[in-house]
Every structure is written in C-alpha cells, then in structure tokens.
Amino acid sequence: YMKEVNTGAFMGCTQLKTLTIPKNITILRDQAFAECSGIAGTIVFPKSILQVGAGVFTRCSSIENFVFEEHPKVTTLGKNFCDGCTSIKKIDLPAEITKLGQYAFANMSNLEKVVLRSDTLRMDPFVFAGDPRLLEAGPINWLSPGSSEVYDIEFAWNTHIPAYAFYQSNNARYLRKVVLPEGIESIGVEAFGDTNLMEINFPSTLRSIGQKAFYHTSLTSVEIPETVQDIGAQAFAYCYSLSNVIIRTRWSDTKASVPEHGWFYMTSTQLKPKISEVLVAVPEDNLLATNFGQFWNAYGYNTETEKTTYLMFSTFKEDI
C-alpha cells in the first residue's frame, strides 16, 4: 500500500473535483495538492496521518472544510498549509495539533471562525495574515460550552499566550479585541504585534509581557495590573493611538538601554500621537525616576492621589 503522497504529486490538477485520503496514508509531502482549485467539499484527515508538509492545500479555493478523525496522530500543520483556501469559513483544530507553521491559514478571505483547542499550541508568525473577517479573540469557555458569547478565534491557552500568536503583517492588521481569561500569566514575544488591536484586558494573574507584545497596535488605553513583574523592550512601542496608560506597580528595570527600546517609544511620523501619560505610585527609593532616566520625564505630583505623572519618551515632547 502507498504510505505517502509525494511532493507536488497532484499540484495544479485543476480538474480534480473530489479527494478522499486513504486511511493507510501517513505523510502528505509539500504541495501535494497545491493549486487544485477544483477540489470541493470537506477533506477528512484520517488519524493515520503523521506528517503534513508545507503548502499541501495552498490555493485550493473550492475546499469548504477540514475535519480530523478523533485522536489524530499529526501534531503539526506546515507552512502555508491552506493559504488561499478562500471557500473555508471555519477552522476547528483538535487539541492534538500543537504547532502551526507560517501563513498556515493566511489569505482566507471568507474565514470567519477559528477554534484552537490545544492549551500548548505554538504558532509561527503570520499564521492568520490577510484574514479580514477575524476581528476578535477570546478563550474557550469549557465550563459553559453553550455560552452565548462568541469569538472569531477561540483559544485554549490557559497560562501562556505563545510568541507570535496573532502576529500579522502591516497590510493584514485585522484583530480588534482580545479577551484574556483569568489564569493567563505571561504573554509571549510579539504575540499581538502589528495587528489593529484596539482593546485588551489584563487579568489579575498576569506576571509578564514579552518584548514587542503589543508593538504597533491601535490600543487606546492600557492598564497594567500590579501583578506584572516584567515587561519586555518595546512592548507598547509605536502605539500612536494610546491616550491613557496606567501602571499599578513598581519597576526596577525598563530594559531600555536606548530610547528606541522603551516600552512606549514613539518616533517621528506624519501621524501625530496623542500625549500619553503614565500614572504610578511614587516608590520610596525613587528607583522609578532613576531607572526610567532619559526615557521618561517627570511631569507632576498629585498630593491627593499620591501619584506622579510621567510622560513617555517621544520626539513630540517639545509639543507638551
């Protein structure tokens, strides 16, 4: 029996209308069915599949759905897995899928819903690049599966949002709102970077925010809880829509050896940012002013609230 479908075996076979993957197949090599625009309906992955290469179903524009048999053995979907499959509206990945390659679900113009069931899922950058209908992301409510609350992307991460989880390119910044459940302790590098994210909540369990986690997003306000103990460089850099930032904890290291590494760094641009303020309790040892150094400027002290206002480092500070 044939055990695998070789690289490009059926690539460009536009007259191929249906596809049934035999239960003895274990490997789908790179671009095995790429550009088979005639394949329609639902593709069932038998649990015998162990490996799925890059671009296996790239630009198969008539496929409507992928279904995985119960307890699949495959754990990774390769780069460009179904990039350009424009007829697919929903992706539901079983918990056994723990890794997604770059652009795995990119350029799927009708994709409306994604369910990610693995709580250890790792993603490469640009997994959802160019998918304009995906506007919100939130947790799967395992305790109440019949809940009326619906998200375009449901994720099962319960302690850590992985690096590049929703990272997208500049021309595909569609994500608008994210709901993080209690229990999330860390947010990985560039997890939401370069998206059009406008709103996010930080749970009381959050401990760390990775480098560039919210780099170049459209957030208008940020409130960092006192539980957060670590923020990576440029975590909120180039967020020109920010108008209010509240930090409710003390810091000993801004990780900003140069201004460009500052958490909220902004540089010259034709788009003029609003002046952003950070309200923080004044630490007794004055470490805040010492460590923020040239990247932050003391602005004023409110005796009633016992808080000092600091202005972010910006090339627009002369306009203050």
Side-chain angles (χ1 to χ4, degrees):
Y1 291 101
M2 183 175 67
K3 294 292 186 180
E4 63 182 67
V5 181
N6 288 328
T7 299
F10 296 92
M11 184 176 181
C13 293
T14 57
Q15 299 304 308
L16 186 61
K17 303 299 181 182
T18 61
L19 173 62
T20 301
I21 302 175
K23 294 184 181 299
N24 57 288
I25 294 295
T26 59
I27 299 175
L28 300 178
R29 298 289 183 187
D30 296 354
Q31 299 182 308
F33 300 98
E35 301 179 19
C36 291
S37 56
I39 298 177
T42 297
I43 304 300
V44 178
F45 279 76
K47 59 184 178 181
S48 60
I49 296 291
L50 301 174
Q51 180 180 332
V52 176
V56 171
F57 292 102
T58 294
R59 291 186 292 279
C60 291
S61 54
S62 298
I63 291 177
E64 298 175 358
N65 193 19
F66 290 106
V67 174
F68 294 82
E69 287 188 348
E70 190 175 5
H71 305 305
K73 297 177 182 177
V74 64
T75 60
T76 300
L77 299 182
K79 180 179 179 181
N80 300 94
F81 167 67
C82 60
D83 182 355
C85 289
T86 54
S87 293
I88 294 177
K89 293 184 177 181
K90 180 178 179 178
I91 294 291
D92 190 335
L93 296 181
E96 287 82 0
I97 302 294
T98 57
K99 175 69 183 296
L100 299 177
Q102 284 188 338
Y103 301 101
F105 301 110
N107 302 306
M108 299 171 67
S109 55
N110 287 299
L111 186 62
E112 298 176 348
K113 182 78 173 180
V114 176
V115 181
L116 308 173
R117 299 187 181 276
S118 170
D119 58 9
T120 60
L121 183 67
R122 295 177 295 118
M123 292 196 214
D124 288 338
F126 310 112
V127 166
F128 298 107
D131 299 335
R133 294 176 181 267
L134 298 179
L135 300 181
E136 297 188 0
I140 295 175
N141 188 342
W142 296 108
L143 298 179
S144 181
S147 172
S148 61
E149 191 169 25
V150 177
Y151 298 92
D152 294 310
I153 304 173
E154 295 183 356
F155 55 80
W157 301 306
N158 51 29
T159 58
H160 174 65
I161 304 298
Y164 308 112
F166 298 101
Y167 182 83
Q168 300 182 9
S169 59
N170 283 328
N171 63 353
R173 297 179 291 125
Y174 300 112
L175 194 66
R176 298 292 193 273
K177 178 182 178 181
V178 170
V179 179
L180 297 179
E182 288 294 316
I184 295 294
E185 298 179 359
S186 58
I187 299 172
V189 172
E190 296 194 69
F192 299 96
D194 248 340
T195 66
N196 206 28
L197 184 66
M198 297 178 180
E199 182 180 348
I200 191 167
N201 68 300
F202 289 134
S204 62
T205 52
L206 189 64
R207 299 291 184 270
S208 67
I209 298 173
Q211 179 178 341
K212 292 187 176 181
F214 298 94
Y215 178 96
H216 199 198
T217 61
S218 297
L219 290 172
T220 58
S221 64
V222 172
E223 183 171 340
I224 301 174
E226 59 186 6
T227 56
V228 174
Q229 301 170 0
D230 182 73
I231 297 180
Q234 293 189 314
F236 300 92
Y238 302 99
C239 294
Y240 288 110
S241 297
L242 275 174
S243 58
N244 183 46
V245 177
I246 298 176
I247 298 179
R248 301 189 180 280
T249 187
R250 299 181 181 183
W251 305 102
S252 59
D253 182 9
T254 64
K255 297 186 177 179
S257 56
V258 295
E260 291 80 2
H261 292 170
W263 296 333
F264 299 92
Y265 178 75
M266 300 178 192
T267 188
S268 298
T269 177
Q270 291 181 352
L271 177 62
K272 199 175 188 67
K274 297 178 180 178
I275 298 302
S276 301
E277 297 183 353
V278 178
L279 304 180
V280 294
V282 178
E284 295 176 0
D285 52 12
N286 202 33
L287 277 176
L288 183 70
T290 300
N291 288 285
F292 275 56
Q294 61 175 316
F295 315 128
W296 293 69
N297 301 290
Y299 184 66
Y301 178 69
N302 187 319
T303 56
E304 294 182 2
T305 61
E306 296 185 345
K307 292 185 181 297
T308 299
T309 301
Y310 289 85
L311 294 178
M312 298 173 188
F313 184 93
S314 169
T315 56
F316 297 99
K317 61 184 177 183
E318 65 271 14
D319 296 328
I320 297 172

